[in-house]
Amino acid sequence: MAQLELVPVHTRILTPKDNIVNTILEYAGQDIGPEDIVCVAESVVAITQGHFTRPEELKPSWKARFLCRFVPADGSMSSVYGMQAAMNLEGEWKTMFCFFAGAIAKIFRKNGVFYQLARQASLTDDVTGTMPPFDKHIVYGPKHPNQVAEQIVQRTGCYGAVVADVNDLKRSAVLGHSRGLDPKRIARILINNPFGNDSQMTPIVIIKNFASVAREQQ
Amino acid sequence: MFLSTLINIIVAIILILAVLYLLFRLYAWQQGNERIVMLVKRHTPFIVEDISFSQVTLTCDIPFVNKGRQNGTIMDLYPRHLMPEEQFDGVHIESWTMDVSRPRHDGYWESVIIPPRKGGTVRLRVIMSVKDGNIRKELMNFPDMPIDIVYQVVGRSDWHISKNRLVLTSEELEQAMRQ
């Protein structure tokens, strides 16, 4: 009887010079089988896509200065640059609208509306959110995560692939996945953060035997 | 009549916006900002960490604190020693810093969030070397050397660079070399 096994894959620090699919092949190519799912951390995908900026490159608008004052201190958008970066992705007026919609929803005790409406903004990591040398950068969410997942499947021959956002606070979300996968199920499998913390440098996790286990469960 | 009503409406809108702006400024003022300060006057005495015939490494610890009311992120921090060759050219000097709570040995400052009323310690290393000759002899005439601790901070407000200066005095150097 096959069993699920989570295999973290150690890599060097990846940069915009790297291609995430080539990196997966380089570090994990031999370990990936046709029954496996390849998971890759969203911030690393974004970094290889060059999807980040630095506070020094941003010019905060009055809207960013205004809104960041209302974000709790531990939020990525509590700094004026985190907020401006999110606004650059979502649009300044759209972010303002989402924020006020979120505030009104809070009055009716519905939390998280802002992050549901401003999806890209919720994926932005402020400075310190990523390991050196990207700790001085604001890292956005990955571009086209579904396409990335499809490319991984095509090049590695695995059963499926996902781009995931997982942390140690038991928060797990699949941002992009290849066709035929149930993202919620994969998110549950990754809930204990097999990617580890940044210093462990394991941005790729292989879920071994996923297809066989799924077949047996059916 | 129409013009007067229009003017009243415009004035009312301007007044409302002005009041809202003032309320926001008041809120932001009450909320405050980060204010990270290097307590250079409270630095520990320089001590010799390592010495050879031609090179000496001195260290001292500098406490810092966030005196503000908001989180502050130290994005970068580095020392700038100021010893022009016109004043003294007997030794080659290098300096670098490290966050004591997260030791590393590459001179890279890893960004760190400092909550209000919390702080930490920076370890400053000064490495002096001579090409030929005895470092002890060479340093006998070493003058006072200012060292700026330069740091970039970001928080609710715009990023900014601050400097706080400490001085490695000739007396302090002599004392450290004697130990």
Side-chain angles (χ1 to χ4, degrees), chain B residues 81-115:
Chain B
H81 58 264
L82 299 159
M83 181 52 66
E85 60 186 14
E86 291 89 336
Q87 193 177 7
F88 189 81
D89 66 351
V91 293
H92 171 74
I93 304 168
E94 286 172 43
S95 57
W96 58 281
T97 45
M98 176 186 94
D99 184 349
V100 170
S101 64
R102 294 189 298 177
R104 48 191 306 145
H105 300 91
D106 51 6
Y108 184 93
W109 180 270
E110 194 175 339
S111 298
V112 59
I113 298 171
I114 312 296

mmCIF file of all heavy atoms in Angstrom, chain B residues 81-115:
data_model
loop_
_atom_site.group_PDB
_atom_site.id
_atom_site.type_symbol
_atom_site.label_atom_id
_atom_site.label_comp_id
_atom_site.label_asym_id
_atom_site.label_seq_id
_atom_site.Cartn_x
_atom_site.Cartn_y
_atom_site.Cartn_z
ATOM 1 N N HIS B 81 34.429 54.166 9.069
ATOM 2 C CA HIS B 81 35.534 54.719 9.862
ATOM 3 C C HIS B 81 36.178 55.861 9.088
ATOM 4 O O HIS B 81 36.258 55.816 7.851
ATOM 5 C CB HIS B 81 36.550 53.632 10.216
ATOM 6 C CG HIS B 81 37.122 52.944 9.027
ATOM 7 N ND1 HIS B 81 36.628 51.749 8.553
ATOM 8 C CD2 HIS B 81 38.124 53.297 8.192
ATOM 9 C CE1 HIS B 81 37.314 51.391 7.484
ATOM 10 N NE2 HIS B 81 38.229 52.322 7.239
ATOM 11 N N LEU B 82 36.599 56.865 9.797
ATOM 12 C CA LEU B 82 37.100 58.077 9.140
ATOM 13 C C LEU B 82 38.532 58.338 9.554
ATOM 14 O O LEU B 82 38.803 58.935 10.610
ATOM 15 C CB LEU B 82 36.196 59.259 9.506
ATOM 16 C CG LEU B 82 34.736 59.069 9.055
ATOM 17 C CD1 LEU B 82 33.800 59.945 9.848
ATOM 18 C CD2 LEU B 82 34.585 59.338 7.576
ATOM 19 N N MET B 83 39.446 57.833 8.752
ATOM 20 C CA MET B 83 40.865 58.044 9.033
ATOM 21 C C MET B 83 41.593 58.359 7.722
ATOM 22 O O MET B 83 42.060 57.470 7.013
ATOM 23 C CB MET B 83 41.453 56.798 9.706
ATOM 24 C CG MET B 83 42.917 56.905 10.066
ATOM 25 S SD MET B 83 43.317 58.381 11.020
ATOM 26 C CE MET B 83 42.443 58.075 12.534
ATOM 27 N N PRO B 84 41.649 59.638 7.376
ATOM 28 C CA PRO B 84 42.330 59.997 6.129
ATOM 29 C C PRO B 84 43.833 59.754 6.212
ATOM 30 O O PRO B 84 44.426 59.872 7.299
ATOM 31 C CB PRO B 84 42.016 61.492 5.982
ATOM 32 C CG PRO B 84 41.687 61.956 7.347
ATOM 33 C CD PRO B 84 41.116 60.800 8.087
ATOM 34 N N GLU B 85 44.422 59.420 5.085
ATOM 35 C CA GLU B 85 45.859 59.095 5.107
ATOM 36 C C GLU B 85 46.710 60.312 5.459
ATOM 37 O O GLU B 85 47.825 60.172 5.946
ATOM 38 C CB GLU B 85 46.294 58.500 3.768
ATOM 39 C CG GLU B 85 46.079 59.396 2.578
ATOM 40 C CD GLU B 85 46.389 58.703 1.250
ATOM 41 O OE1 GLU B 85 46.505 57.470 1.249
ATOM 42 O OE2 GLU B 85 46.501 59.418 0.248
ATOM 43 N N GLU B 86 46.130 61.517 5.230
ATOM 44 C CA GLU B 86 46.874 62.723 5.631
ATOM 45 C C GLU B 86 47.103 62.716 7.147
ATOM 46 O O GLU B 86 48.089 63.256 7.645
ATOM 47 C CB GLU B 86 46.085 63.994 5.279
ATOM 48 C CG GLU B 86 45.961 64.281 3.808
ATOM 49 C CD GLU B 86 44.739 63.637 3.179
ATOM 50 O OE1 GLU B 86 44.254 62.629 3.734
ATOM 51 O OE2 GLU B 86 44.296 64.110 2.122
ATOM 52 N N GLN B 87 46.174 62.106 7.866
ATOM 53 C CA GLN B 87 46.271 62.103 9.327
ATOM 54 C C GLN B 87 47.094 60.919 9.840
ATOM 55 O O GLN B 87 47.876 61.055 10.767
ATOM 56 C CB GLN B 87 44.863 62.070 9.925
ATOM 57 C CG GLN B 87 44.824 62.365 11.411
ATOM 58 C CD GLN B 87 43.395 62.389 11.955
ATOM 59 O OE1 GLN B 87 42.442 62.057 11.253
ATOM 60 N NE2 GLN B 87 43.249 62.781 13.207
ATOM 61 N N PHE B 88 46.878 59.765 9.221
ATOM 62 C CA PHE B 88 47.617 58.574 9.659
ATOM 63 C C PHE B 88 47.578 57.530 8.541
ATOM 64 O O PHE B 88 46.490 57.126 8.114
ATOM 65 C CB PHE B 88 46.976 57.986 10.921
ATOM 66 C CG PHE B 88 47.796 56.905 11.562
ATOM 67 C CD1 PHE B 88 48.868 57.212 12.394
ATOM 68 C CD2 PHE B 88 47.501 55.561 11.331
ATOM 69 C CE1 PHE B 88 49.618 56.205 12.986
ATOM 70 C CE2 PHE B 88 48.252 54.556 11.919
ATOM 71 C CZ PHE B 88 49.317 54.883 12.747
ATOM 72 N N ASP B 89 48.751 57.112 8.076
ATOM 73 C CA ASP B 89 48.745 56.131 6.986
ATOM 74 C C ASP B 89 49.551 54.881 7.338
ATOM 75 O O ASP B 89 49.984 54.150 6.463
ATOM 76 C CB ASP B 89 49.249 56.759 5.684
ATOM 77 C CG ASP B 89 50.716 57.158 5.764
ATOM 78 O OD1 ASP B 89 51.277 57.097 6.886
ATOM 79 O OD2 ASP B 89 51.292 57.527 4.735
ATOM 80 N N GLY B 90 49.696 54.652 8.642
ATOM 81 C CA GLY B 90 50.517 53.518 9.068
ATOM 82 C C GLY B 90 49.821 52.173 8.973
ATOM 83 O O GLY B 90 50.472 51.119 8.925
ATOM 84 N N VAL B 91 48.513 52.168 8.983
ATOM 85 C CA VAL B 91 47.792 50.881 8.974
ATOM 86 C C VAL B 91 46.668 50.899 7.943
ATOM 87 O O VAL B 91 46.173 51.966 7.553
ATOM 88 C CB VAL B 91 47.158 50.555 10.359
ATOM 89 C CG1 VAL B 91 48.208 50.310 11.410
ATOM 90 C CG2 VAL B 91 46.198 51.640 10.801
ATOM 91 N N HIS B 92 46.291 49.690 7.526
ATOM 92 C CA HIS B 92 45.112 49.543 6.672
ATOM 93 C C HIS B 92 43.945 49.176 7.597
ATOM 94 O O HIS B 92 44.071 48.303 8.453
ATOM 95 C CB HIS B 92 45.349 48.429 5.636
ATOM 96 C CG HIS B 92 44.125 48.076 4.878
ATOM 97 N ND1 HIS B 92 43.606 48.891 3.897
ATOM 98 C CD2 HIS B 92 43.280 47.020 4.978
ATOM 99 C CE1 HIS B 92 42.511 48.337 3.417
ATOM 100 N NE2 HIS B 92 42.295 47.204 4.056
ATOM 101 N N ILE B 93 42.823 49.857 7.431
ATOM 102 C CA ILE B 93 41.694 49.654 8.361
ATOM 103 C C ILE B 93 40.473 49.129 7.611
ATOM 104 O O ILE B 93 40.143 49.602 6.522
ATOM 105 C CB ILE B 93 41.321 50.980 9.071
ATOM 106 C CG1 ILE B 93 42.553 51.550 9.782
ATOM 107 C CG2 ILE B 93 40.188 50.769 10.078
ATOM 108 C CD1 ILE B 93 42.363 52.977 10.261
ATOM 109 N N GLU B 94 39.829 48.147 8.214
ATOM 110 C CA GLU B 94 38.531 47.674 7.727
ATOM 111 C C GLU B 94 37.581 47.641 8.915
ATOM 112 O O GLU B 94 38.031 47.453 10.051
ATOM 113 C CB GLU B 94 38.627 46.239 7.186
ATOM 114 C CG GLU B 94 39.317 46.113 5.848
ATOM 115 C CD GLU B 94 39.530 44.656 5.486
ATOM 116 O OE1 GLU B 94 38.608 43.846 5.685
ATOM 117 O OE2 GLU B 94 40.641 44.332 5.042
ATOM 118 N N SER B 95 36.298 47.821 8.666
ATOM 119 C CA SER B 95 35.340 47.713 9.768
ATOM 120 C C SER B 95 34.039 47.108 9.247
ATOM 121 O O SER B 95 33.684 47.297 8.087
ATOM 122 C CB SER B 95 35.077 49.081 10.397
ATOM 123 O OG SER B 95 34.609 49.995 9.431
ATOM 124 N N TRP B 96 33.366 46.385 10.115
ATOM 125 C CA TRP B 96 32.059 45.832 9.761
ATOM 126 C C TRP B 96 31.250 45.557 11.020
ATOM 127 O O TRP B 96 31.796 45.559 12.131
ATOM 128 C CB TRP B 96 32.176 44.593 8.882
ATOM 129 C CG TRP B 96 32.954 43.428 9.420
ATOM 130 C CD1 TRP B 96 34.297 43.295 9.449
ATOM 131 C CD2 TRP B 96 32.422 42.224 9.986
ATOM 132 N NE1 TRP B 96 34.647 42.083 9.987
ATOM 133 C CE2 TRP B 96 33.506 41.409 10.318
ATOM 134 C CE3 TRP B 96 31.132 41.757 10.231
ATOM 135 C CZ2 TRP B 96 33.357 40.143 10.913
ATOM 136 C CZ3 TRP B 96 30.970 40.501 10.802
ATOM 137 C CH2 TRP B 96 32.081 39.716 11.139
ATOM 138 N N THR B 97 29.953 45.367 10.805
ATOM 139 C CA THR B 97 29.058 45.222 11.953
ATOM 140 C C THR B 97 28.236 43.936 11.848
ATOM 141 O O THR B 97 28.111 43.355 10.767
ATOM 142 C CB THR B 97 28.067 46.398 12.030
ATOM 143 O OG1 THR B 97 27.552 46.623 10.725
ATOM 144 C CG2 THR B 97 28.711 47.649 12.553
ATOM 145 N N MET B 98 27.654 43.581 12.977
ATOM 146 C CA MET B 98 26.853 42.353 13.035
ATOM 147 C C MET B 98 25.778 42.536 14.097
ATOM 148 O O MET B 98 26.013 43.191 15.119
ATOM 149 C CB MET B 98 27.804 41.214 13.419
ATOM 150 C CG MET B 98 27.188 39.883 13.623
ATOM 151 S SD MET B 98 28.449 38.731 14.236
ATOM 152 C CE MET B 98 28.197 38.874 15.995
ATOM 153 N N ASP B 99 24.605 41.979 13.856
ATOM 154 C CA ASP B 99 23.541 41.970 14.861
ATOM 155 C C ASP B 99 23.864 40.827 15.832
ATOM 156 O O ASP B 99 23.926 39.664 15.420
ATOM 157 C CB ASP B 99 22.197 41.726 14.147
ATOM 158 C CG ASP B 99 21.016 41.785 15.096
ATOM 159 O OD1 ASP B 99 21.221 41.799 16.318
ATOM 160 O OD2 ASP B 99 19.879 41.803 14.595
ATOM 161 N N VAL B 100 24.068 41.163 17.104
ATOM 162 C CA VAL B 100 24.502 40.146 18.082
ATOM 163 C C VAL B 100 23.461 39.032 18.205
ATOM 164 O O VAL B 100 23.808 37.868 18.426
ATOM 165 C CB VAL B 100 24.786 40.814 19.443
ATOM 166 C CG1 VAL B 100 24.994 39.786 20.540
ATOM 167 C CG2 VAL B 100 26.006 41.721 19.330
ATOM 168 N N SER B 101 22.182 39.375 18.032
ATOM 169 C CA SER B 101 21.153 38.342 18.210
ATOM 170 C C SER B 101 21.071 37.399 16.997
ATOM 171 O O SER B 101 20.453 36.346 17.073
ATOM 172 C CB SER B 101 19.793 38.992 18.449
ATOM 173 O OG SER B 101 19.416 39.715 17.307
ATOM 174 N N ARG B 102 21.674 37.808 15.885
ATOM 175 C CA ARG B 102 21.681 36.916 14.711
ATOM 176 C C ARG B 102 23.078 36.944 14.094
ATOM 177 O O ARG B 102 23.308 37.574 13.064
ATOM 178 C CB ARG B 102 20.641 37.385 13.689
ATOM 179 C CG ARG B 102 19.224 37.230 14.244
ATOM 180 C CD ARG B 102 18.178 37.466 13.220
ATOM 181 N NE ARG B 102 18.224 38.814 12.697
ATOM 182 C CZ ARG B 102 17.431 39.250 11.723
ATOM 183 N NH1 ARG B 102 16.586 38.427 11.158
ATOM 184 N NH2 ARG B 102 17.497 40.478 11.306
ATOM 185 N N PRO B 103 24.017 36.255 14.752
ATOM 186 C CA PRO B 103 25.414 36.365 14.322
ATOM 187 C C PRO B 103 25.647 35.871 12.898
ATOM 188 O O PRO B 103 25.058 34.872 12.478
ATOM 189 C CB PRO B 103 26.160 35.466 15.313
ATOM 190 C CG PRO B 103 25.212 35.147 16.391
ATOM 191 C CD PRO B 103 23.838 35.304 15.844
ATOM 192 N N ARG B 104 26.436 36.595 12.169
ATOM 193 C CA ARG B 104 26.912 36.161 10.866
ATOM 194 C C ARG B 104 28.268 36.812 10.652
ATOM 195 O O ARG B 104 28.628 37.742 11.376
ATOM 196 C CB ARG B 104 25.912 36.486 9.751
ATOM 197 C CG ARG B 104 25.345 37.881 9.733
ATOM 198 C CD ARG B 104 24.179 38.005 8.775
ATOM 199 N NE ARG B 104 24.527 37.554 7.444
ATOM 200 C CZ ARG B 104 23.671 36.921 6.630
ATOM 201 N NH1 ARG B 104 22.442 36.691 7.011
ATOM 202 N NH2 ARG B 104 24.043 36.551 5.428
ATOM 203 N N HIS B 105 29.010 36.335 9.683
ATOM 204 C CA HIS B 105 30.405 36.755 9.578
ATOM 205 C C HIS B 105 30.771 37.260 8.190
ATOM 206 O O HIS B 105 31.900 37.150 7.746
ATOM 207 C CB HIS B 105 31.327 35.604 10.014
ATOM 208 C CG HIS B 105 31.077 35.194 11.420
ATOM 209 N ND1 HIS B 105 30.181 34.202 11.762
ATOM 210 C CD2 HIS B 105 31.553 35.693 12.582
ATOM 211 C CE1 HIS B 105 30.136 34.101 13.076
ATOM 212 N NE2 HIS B 105 30.952 34.988 13.597
ATOM 213 N N ASP B 106 29.760 37.808 7.506
ATOM 214 C CA ASP B 106 30.017 38.276 6.152
ATOM 215 C C ASP B 106 29.837 39.782 5.999
ATOM 216 O O ASP B 106 29.919 40.310 4.900
ATOM 217 C CB ASP B 106 29.078 37.551 5.171
ATOM 218 C CG ASP B 106 27.615 37.612 5.623
ATOM 219 O OD1 ASP B 106 27.329 38.315 6.618
ATOM 220 O OD2 ASP B 106 26.758 36.964 4.998
ATOM 221 N N GLY B 107 29.559 40.466 7.112
ATOM 222 C CA GLY B 107 29.357 41.908 7.039
ATOM 223 C C GLY B 107 28.007 42.291 6.460
ATOM 224 O O GLY B 107 27.719 43.477 6.307
ATOM 225 N N TYR B 108 27.173 41.307 6.150
ATOM 226 C CA TYR B 108 25.848 41.580 5.591
ATOM 227 C C TYR B 108 24.876 41.855 6.735
ATOM 228 O O TYR B 108 24.827 41.089 7.701
ATOM 229 C CB TYR B 108 25.378 40.360 4.791
ATOM 230 C CG TYR B 108 24.050 40.547 4.067
ATOM 231 C CD1 TYR B 108 24.023 40.988 2.752
ATOM 232 C CD2 TYR B 108 22.845 40.279 4.698
ATOM 233 C CE1 TYR B 108 22.817 41.156 2.084
ATOM 234 C CE2 TYR B 108 21.638 40.444 4.042
ATOM 235 C CZ TYR B 108 21.630 40.878 2.735
ATOM 236 O OH TYR B 108 20.430 41.043 2.086
ATOM 237 N N TRP B 109 24.135 42.941 6.630
ATOM 238 C CA TRP B 109 23.133 43.237 7.655
ATOM 239 C C TRP B 109 21.790 42.701 7.189
ATOM 240 O O TRP B 109 21.248 43.161 6.186
ATOM 241 C CB TRP B 109 23.031 44.742 7.921
ATOM 242 C CG TRP B 109 22.013 45.025 8.975
ATOM 243 C CD1 TRP B 109 20.692 45.266 8.781
ATOM 244 C CD2 TRP B 109 22.222 45.031 10.387
ATOM 245 N NE1 TRP B 109 20.056 45.425 9.985
ATOM 246 C CE2 TRP B 109 20.974 45.289 10.986
ATOM 247 C CE3 TRP B 109 23.344 44.853 11.212
ATOM 248 C CZ2 TRP B 109 20.815 45.377 12.365
ATOM 249 C CZ3 TRP B 109 23.171 44.931 12.585
ATOM 250 C CH2 TRP B 109 21.934 45.203 13.143
ATOM 251 N N GLU B 110 21.263 41.733 7.929
ATOM 252 C CA GLU B 110 19.964 41.168 7.575
ATOM 253 C C GLU B 110 18.875 42.067 8.158
ATOM 254 O O GLU B 110 18.901 42.373 9.354
ATOM 255 C CB GLU B 110 19.873 39.750 8.162
ATOM 256 C CG GLU B 110 18.738 38.960 7.589
ATOM 257 C CD GLU B 110 18.747 37.511 8.085
ATOM 258 O OE1 GLU B 110 19.809 37.025 8.530
ATOM 259 O OE2 GLU B 110 17.683 36.879 8.015
ATOM 260 N N SER B 111 17.944 42.483 7.317
ATOM 261 C CA SER B 111 16.878 43.396 7.764
ATOM 262 C C SER B 111 16.173 42.840 8.988
ATOM 263 O O SER B 111 15.879 41.643 9.051
ATOM 264 C CB SER B 111 15.840 43.578 6.654
ATOM 265 O OG SER B 111 16.434 44.150 5.539
ATOM 266 N N VAL B 112 15.873 43.730 9.928
ATOM 267 C CA VAL B 112 15.260 43.265 11.166
ATOM 268 C C VAL B 112 14.216 44.287 11.621
ATOM 269 O O VAL B 112 14.421 45.497 11.503
ATOM 270 C CB VAL B 112 16.341 43.023 12.259
ATOM 271 C CG1 VAL B 112 17.135 44.273 12.562
ATOM 272 C CG2 VAL B 112 15.747 42.466 13.521
ATOM 273 N N ILE B 113 13.088 43.757 12.116
ATOM 274 C CA ILE B 113 12.017 44.632 12.614
ATOM 275 C C ILE B 113 12.228 44.846 14.109
ATOM 276 O O ILE B 113 12.394 43.886 14.861
ATOM 277 C CB ILE B 113 10.628 43.993 12.375
ATOM 278 C CG1 ILE B 113 10.381 43.812 10.875
ATOM 279 C CG2 ILE B 113 9.518 44.852 12.988
ATOM 280 C CD1 ILE B 113 9.140 43.008 10.542
ATOM 281 N N ILE B 114 12.227 46.093 14.519
ATOM 282 C CA ILE B 114 12.374 46.415 15.944
ATOM 283 C C ILE B 114 11.048 46.997 16.439
ATOM 284 O O ILE B 114 10.657 48.092 16.039
ATOM 285 C CB ILE B 114 13.512 47.450 16.183
ATOM 286 C CG1 ILE B 114 14.790 47.060 15.424
ATOM 287 C CG2 ILE B 114 13.775 47.629 17.667
ATOM 288 C CD1 ILE B 114 15.425 45.763 15.869
ATOM 289 N N PRO B 115 10.352 46.265 17.326
ATOM 290 C CA PRO B 115 9.091 46.792 17.856
ATOM 291 C C PRO B 115 9.353 48.008 18.767
ATOM 292 O O PRO B 115 10.478 48.208 19.225
ATOM 293 C CB PRO B 115 8.534 45.616 18.680
ATOM 294 C CG PRO B 115 9.309 44.424 18.251
ATOM 295 C CD PRO B 115 10.648 44.923 17.822
#
